[in-house]
Amino acid sequence: MSDTQHRPAATGEATPMVTISRLNKWYGDFHVLRDIDLSVARGERIVICGPSGSGKSTLIRCINHLEAHQQGEIVVNGIPMTNDVKRIEQIRRNVGMVFQHFNLFPHLTVLENCCLSPIWVQKKPRREAEKSAMEYLERVRIANQAHKYPGQLSGGQQQRVAIARALCMHPEVMLFDEPTSALDPEMIKEVLDVMIELAHEGMTMLCVTHEMGFARTVADRVIFMDEGQIVESAPPETFFNEPRSSRTREFLGQILGH
């Protein structure tokens, strides 16, 4: 799949899906995010890469308030982030998140994992929640495992369940925090294939990953972070073939082996 097959990023739309302005965050004395500015259009796919400790996972965790920031502004789907619990819950209803280590409940079946939030948070009737969950499990090609427990599945299967679970909440934007880094190499493709399908269906996505083939195939923009700052932001072709920053060139040389 080449990038020419994608519809163009909706960068001209009036209301971005996510707007981050002058974002700063500290862990004690450590300044982990420094004056981050980022606007994500509805339907845009962004891949964030960078060395370990560069702040990329912290950045996307701030978008749904899994991490609290100290300065700056975050607006998700027109809703400004504050410390108000109701406001945070409102934003989280718009945002799905897939983590590195799946975070499935081991004592619940696959189907029960997917139904939990729709039933308890959205107050859906169980029958309706189960019907929707089965549709999403079918979509990630794992419906035949619905009545198994996470421990009976491979890592790749568990991560596909985690994606289905996030989709069950009908999010406007999906955040992926290194979703393949805990997987064996042969399991990575099955997860990336599901993510590629989501991207082609127009889901707004921010994905922290070192899977550069995925970035070339899916991303509208690739962002490189280092030392808590956005060093470079460009379409994949420009990012990989004509990086402006020497730091970006050094990183790509290490990760791509040239």
Side-chain angles (χ1 to χ4, degrees), residues 60 146 212 251:
I60 65 165
M212 294 296 102
F251 174 78

mmCIF file of all heavy atoms in Angstrom, residues 60 146 212 251:
data_model
loop_
_atom_site.group_PDB
_atom_site.id
_atom_site.type_symbol
_atom_site.label_atom_id
_atom_site.label_comp_id
_atom_site.label_asym_id
_atom_site.label_seq_id
_atom_site.Cartn_x
_atom_site.Cartn_y
_atom_site.Cartn_z
ATOM 1 N N ILE A 60 1.751 11.443 24.491
ATOM 2 C CA ILE A 60 0.417 10.939 24.153
ATOM 3 C C ILE A 60 -0.377 10.583 25.409
ATOM 4 O O ILE A 60 -1.607 10.649 25.389
ATOM 5 C CB ILE A 60 0.452 9.767 23.137
ATOM 6 C CG1 ILE A 60 1.123 8.524 23.697
ATOM 7 C CG2 ILE A 60 1.101 10.200 21.829
ATOM 8 C CD1 ILE A 60 0.833 7.280 22.847
ATOM 9 N N ALA A 146 -13.302 -15.342 21.622
ATOM 10 C CA ALA A 146 -14.065 -14.462 22.513
ATOM 11 C C ALA A 146 -14.253 -15.016 23.915
ATOM 12 O O ALA A 146 -14.321 -14.253 24.889
ATOM 13 C CB ALA A 146 -15.428 -14.141 21.893
ATOM 14 N N MET A 212 9.284 1.596 11.378
ATOM 15 C CA MET A 212 9.397 2.617 10.340
ATOM 16 C C MET A 212 8.675 2.230 9.048
ATOM 17 O O MET A 212 8.227 3.090 8.301
ATOM 18 C CB MET A 212 10.871 2.923 10.063
ATOM 19 C CG MET A 212 11.595 3.574 11.244
ATOM 20 S SD MET A 212 10.952 5.218 11.695
ATOM 21 C CE MET A 212 9.963 4.836 13.141
ATOM 22 N N PHE A 251 19.484 9.537 14.145
ATOM 23 C CA PHE A 251 18.519 8.551 14.646
ATOM 24 C C PHE A 251 18.130 7.567 13.547
ATOM 25 O O PHE A 251 18.109 6.353 13.765
ATOM 26 C CB PHE A 251 17.280 9.276 15.173
ATOM 27 C CG PHE A 251 16.160 8.356 15.587
ATOM 28 C CD1 PHE A 251 16.206 7.679 16.795
ATOM 29 C CD2 PHE A 251 15.051 8.161 14.767
ATOM 30 C CE1 PHE A 251 15.168 6.827 17.182
ATOM 31 C CE2 PHE A 251 14.027 7.316 15.137
ATOM 32 C CZ PHE A 251 14.090 6.657 16.352
#
